[in-house]
Each structure stands twice: as C-alpha cells, then as structure tokens.
Amino acid sequence: MQKTNLTAITTIHLLGFQDTYRVTFLVFFLFFVVYLVTIFGNLLIITLVSYSRNLHTPMYFFLTQLSVSDILLATDILPNMLHAVVVKDNMISFTDCIAQFYFFDVSETTDCLLLTVMCYDRYLAICQPLHYTYIVNHQFCHRMVMVTWMTSACVVLIHTLTITKLNFCGPNIIDHFFCDLDPILQLSCSDITVVEIEVTMLSSLLVVIPFFIILISYVYIIFTILQIPSITGRQKAFSTCSSHLAVVSMYYGTLLCVYLVPNRNLSWNISKYLSLLYTVVTPLMNPIVYSLRNKDLQSAVGKVFSDLYKIPRNQQWLM
C-alpha cells in the first residue's frame, strides 16, 4: 500500500469479511453461536473446578486460568467481529485498535506459558511422582499463575509501546477482522525494524523456547509411560495428559499454519481465514477437548446436575 496521506491517523477502518455480504445473517449467527459456546464452555470449566472438590488439583487450577485467557481472547475479538459483519463500514479509534492488539497478544502469550506450566505439572506427576506433592503445592501454583500473567502483560507491553511511538500516516484501512501486528505495521510510515526485532526476540523467548520445553517433556513422559508394566497403568497415566497434549497440538498447530506459511504469497482473504484458527477456533475447542476427553470433568457435570435435581425435590418435600 502506498502511504500518501501524511496526516496522523486517528481512526481505523476494519474491512472484516467483505465477501460475506450475501450471507450476512448466516455468518453473524455462526460467529454469535461460537462466541456463546466459547464463553459458556470456559465458564463451565471454571465453575466445575470451583464447585467440585475432586477437581481442586494443580492441573485443574491451571486449566481454569487457561479458560480465563480464552474468555479474554474471545471477548477481545468476537464482539467487534460481529459488529463488523453487520456494519460493513466498521470504524474504531486507533487507540482501541492498539488496545485490541495488546489484549490479543497477552492472551496468546499467556496460553503458551500456561500450557508450558501444565506440561511441567504432568511431567512431575508422571516422571517424578515422589517429588510431585512437595514441589507442586498451593504456593507454587499461585506463584506460577501470577508470574505467567505478569510476564505476558509486561513483555507484550514492551513492543506495544514501541508501536505507539511509530508514525502512522495512513491509509487507515486494515483488510482484516481485528488489529493484528502485520496489518498495523503496514500503516506505519516509520522504520519498523526495531519492532520486528523486539517481536522476534520476545517470540523466541515466550513461544519457541516453551515449545521445545513441552516437546522434550513429552519425550520423557512417553518414555516413562512405556516403561509401566501393566497396560491399565499405561492407559491411566496417558489419560492424565492426553487432553493437555491435544490442546498443545491444536495451539501450536494453528500457530504453525499461520506463521510458517509465507503470508506474503497469500491473499489477505486466505490470511484472514487462517487467523480464525487461533483467534476463534482455539478458544472454542479448548473446553470441548477437555470436556470430551476428561472423565473427572464429565463426572463433575453429572454431580452438578444431580445436586440441582435434588434441590427442587427437597423443596417439594418440605412443602
């Protein structure tokens, strides 16, 4: 894009999905249902873990934080996307655009760090069971969650503040459904080398290194599981980490699809649809994967409905 307007931009025009104007209602309904299911599914996990004493374990405590991060991501992206579907001329302020990018990046970084912490939890539980209760205690869990959220918030703030110091002289059009990094930088008429270096270094620190930590941990976990003599023991050990492994595969799989594919050779429409994988699909699928593959959560759901069923019966008996 040629940057011919030298006036600093104050508003951003998000084009969204311009090719869906013929099926506007269908697209709006689909994204609205996805948003509701995402919020309800993640809130359900938080509620179940808080309600059921059987789920008061480090693994499920970290899972609730993952649900909080997914709610943040869905709320940051989907409401504005729904507005863009209905109102084709979707305008937001430049400040709101930067804020949306910040919370999006915080959520993605937090997910990555939480998945790494959860992997360490599974590693200790399976490979170092005698040390597990000593290391992974109440204080450890709360400290790790605090460090995860604070690290994400502070680290993302570094390159976000650098972006705000750039000159943005237009055009003010972003051919995307949310304010992602590359579309924002394309609006700048300043040298963006510093931002790119910061993003590369921080991504290596908070995304690439955790990925290899998870990969190496699962090598040890799988090797330990294979050494268990009984088939039942192996199945039980693997079931404790299968949900986490599925979520990790989905999370990093979507990132690899988006960032390892040469975006410059793709049209913006294809890039937008690929972006749906980690902004919409992942927050939706995380609670579904854990609910479908985890017997503890399934039994907790049954207990909640059983208790709710008993309340009206007791009230009727009292009358």
Side-chain angles (χ1 to χ4, degrees):
M1 294 182 181
Q2 295 181 352
K3 302 173 179 61
T4 57
N5 185 8
L6 298 180
T7 303
I9 60 177
T10 58
T11 59
I12 300 293
H13 182 195
L14 288 173
L15 295 182
F17 298 98
Q18 295 291 314
D19 54 348
T20 61
Y21 67 94
R22 294 182 179 178
V23 287
T24 298
F25 176 78
L26 180 61
V27 174
F28 177 86
F29 178 77
L30 176 62
F31 285 141
F32 183 70
V33 171
V34 167
Y35 181 56
L36 290 181
V37 173
T38 300
I39 299 299
F40 175 78
N42 285 287
L43 284 177
L44 179 62
I45 287 180
I46 296 172
T47 303
L48 290 175
V49 174
S50 301
Y51 178 82
S52 177
R53 292 186 178 181
N54 295 331
L55 301 180
H56 289 177
T57 63
M59 180 177 68
Y60 293 109
F61 175 70
F62 294 135
L63 179 59
T64 60
Q65 298 302 309
L66 187 66
S67 294
V68 172
S69 178
D70 287 340
I71 290 174
L72 174 63
L73 177 59
T75 305
D76 183 49
I77 300 296
L78 279 167
N80 191 69
M81 185 190 301
L82 292 171
H83 181 262
V85 171
V86 177
V87 182
K88 299 303 180 182
D89 191 19
N90 185 30
M91 304 291 293
I92 64 171
S93 68
F94 182 76
T95 303
D96 290 342
C97 185
I98 296 297
Q100 186 186 49
F101 165 72
Y102 173 76
F103 287 109
F104 155 74
D105 211 358
V106 168
S107 177
E108 288 291 322
T109 305
T110 301
D111 276 2
C112 184
L113 296 179
L114 282 174
L115 289 173
T116 307
V117 174
M118 293 170 73
C119 181
Y120 180 66
D121 171 76
R122 291 300 85 204
Y123 166 78
L124 290 176
I126 295 175
C127 301
Q128 304 289 336
L130 297 179
H131 299 88
Y132 179 75
T133 55
Y134 175 75
I135 297 176
V136 187
N137 51 34
H138 182 78
Q139 291 182 344
F140 172 84
C141 294
H142 283 84
R143 286 176 182 173
M144 292 306 297
V145 167
M146 186 178 299
V147 168
T148 295
W149 281 102
M150 291 183 64
T151 300
S152 300
C154 294
V155 169
V156 173
L157 187 63
I158 294 174
H159 57 264
T160 303
L161 290 176
T162 305
I163 291 174
T164 60
K165 294 178 181 178
L166 299 175
N167 294 320
F168 292 89
C169 49
N172 67 333
I173 299 175
I174 289 182
D175 189 7
H176 214 315
F177 60 86
F178 79 106
C179 294
D180 204 355
L181 178 63
D182 287 340
I184 292 176
L185 293 181
Q186 289 198 10
L187 303 183
S188 174
C189 49
S190 303
D191 185 7
I192 61 175
T193 304
V194 175
V195 179
E196 292 177 334
I197 293 175
E198 287 181 353
V199 171
T200 301
M201 293 178 61
L202 296 175
S203 297
S204 300
L205 180 65
L206 298 179
V207 179
V208 178
I209 293 178
F211 172 72
F212 283 105
I213 292 175
I214 293 174
L215 192 63
I216 294 172
S217 297
Y218 267 107
V219 170
Y220 281 99
I221 289 173
I222 294 174
F223 182 74
T224 303
I225 291 176
L226 292 177
Q227 289 183 322
I228 298 175
S230 65
I231 297 177
T232 304
R234 288 197 295 266
Q235 292 176 343
K236 183 177 180 180
F238 184 75
S239 66
T240 62
C241 58
S242 60
S243 298
H244 176 263
L245 182 60
V247 171
V248 167
S249 302
M250 184 171 56
Y251 176 80
Y252 279 101
T254 56
L255 290 182
L256 291 175
C257 287
V258 174
Y259 291 109
L260 289 189
V261 173
N263 289 333
R264 299 186 184 278
N265 295 332
L266 296 176
S267 67
W268 272 113
N269 281 333
I270 298 178
S271 298
K272 283 189 287 186
Y273 286 112
L274 286 176
S275 299
L276 287 173
L277 293 176
Y278 60 88
T279 56
V280 177
V281 176
T282 301
L284 171 69
M285 293 303 298
N286 283 350
I288 294 177
V289 169
Y290 269 97
S291 298
L292 292 178
R293 300 181 63 88
N294 195 293
K295 294 182 179 180
D296 292 335
L297 283 175
Q298 292 174 3
S299 62
V301 172
K303 187 176 184 303
V304 169
F305 282 103
S306 177
D307 291 344
L308 291 175
Y309 176 71
K310 290 178 182 178
I311 293 175
R313 289 178 63 89
N314 292 336
Q315 290 177 349
Q316 185 179 4
W317 179 80
L318 291 173
M319 292 175 64

